[in-house]
Amino acid sequence: MNLMNKDIWLGIGAIAFGVFLLVFAIPSFVSSPSNVPALVLAPTFWPTIVAYIIVVLGAALVISRMSGLTNESSGETANVPETREEQLYGLGRLLAMAVLMVGLVIATPIVGMVLATAIAFAFFAAIVVTPRPLTSIVVAIVLPLALYAFFSHVAGVSVPQGRFLTLP
């Protein structure tokens, strides 16, 4: 199976996953009160936006590959690992990301969302081997604090606090 067919199937899978989210997962598992003062504060708003983006990007991938907008003979090369060591390295990084995501879910009630996401972002930067580690560490600290300040103090949405760390 060549790269173009894989991309088409990936696009079809993305469309199917987005439709699944829109039709079943979000309405079934995301509860939203009817008295939300602003639409963007509703718990279903952003998951729905993300699901629509997944559908649109999947459709764009399928359309671009079927219409020939990208040509494999134009010098594009697939970024496919060639050696067994590179494949194992890629699988190790994928496993590390899975462990990181599970760890984030487990750590959030214990240490709070702000600290857990800061630590998770720092580990994510290490897993993907970022070219600017200092910038990543600064973003790992500043971004969760800025988001906490906005949601807690401006939007009035409570952010989960941990047992060990309580922010004002």
Side-chain angles (χ1 to χ4, degrees):
M1 182 179 282
N2 64 12
L3 182 62
M4 186 179 296
N5 285 341
K6 287 182 181 179
D7 286 346
I8 290 172
W9 283 110
L10 179 65
I12 291 170
I15 293 169
F17 180 66
V19 169
F20 167 76
L21 289 175
L22 289 169
V23 172
F24 178 71
I26 294 171
S28 297
F29 298 110
V30 180
S31 60
S32 180
S34 60
N35 60 350
V36 176
L39 178 63
V40 294
L41 296 177
T44 57
F45 180 74
W46 289 110
T48 303
I49 295 296
V50 170
Y52 278 119
I53 290 172
I54 290 171
V55 170
V56 167
L57 291 177
L61 182 61
V62 169
I63 290 169
S64 71
R65 287 300 181 176
M66 292 184 101
S67 67
L69 291 176
T70 56
N71 189 0
E72 288 187 41
S73 64
S74 67
E76 291 182 20
T77 57
N79 216 1
V80 179
E82 295 178 5
T83 65
R84 182 81 173 146
E85 291 83 19
E86 289 175 341
Q87 290 177 345
L88 289 175
Y89 179 69
L91 287 174
R93 288 172 59 176
L94 182 64
L95 180 64
M97 284 302 302
V99 169
L100 180 64
M101 286 186 258
V102 170
L104 178 62
V105 170
I106 293 170
T108 297
I110 299 168
V111 297
M113 185 171 276
V114 175
L115 185 59
T117 54
I119 293 169
F121 189 90
F123 278 124
F124 173 76
I127 291 170
V128 299
V129 189
T130 179
R132 295 181 179 85
L134 184 61
T135 305
S136 296
I137 297 300
V138 170
V139 170
I141 295 168
V142 171
L143 185 62
L145 288 173
L147 287 172
Y148 168 76
F150 171 77
F151 280 106
S152 180
H153 299 293
V154 176
V157 177
S158 64
V159 176
Q161 299 286 325
R163 293 181 223 153
F164 302 115
L165 176 68
T166 305
L167 296 173

